[in-house]
Amino acid sequence: MTTAEPLTEPGAASAREGLWRNSDFLKFWLGETLSLLGTQVTNLGRAARGR
């Protein structure tokens, strides 16, 4: 009888959780999110002005 292999590598879940605790990643993610939000607001303003 054989044992079932795990679907993910050992430690994969902890690696993902660790990414959200990484300050550089959080700064990057927040910056990208705010940049995208600013782009969307700008595009909305341009559309409202008819450009």
Side-chain angles (χ1 to χ4, degrees):
M1 176 181 256
T2 62
T3 59
E5 299 268 336
L7 295 177
T8 59
E9 296 178 22
S14 63
R16 275 185 255 130
E17 291 171 1
L19 189 61
W20 287 105
R21 294 174 190 244
N22 184 322
S23 64
D24 288 336
F25 175 76
L26 288 176
K27 289 174 191 174
F28 170 76
W29 187 85
L30 181 61
E32 288 293 316
T33 302
L34 292 176
S35 176
L36 181 59
L37 178 63
T39 300
Q40 296 299 319
V41 169
T42 299
N43 290 340
L44 182 62
R46 286 182 179 168
R49 294 180 67 188
R51 292 186 178 201

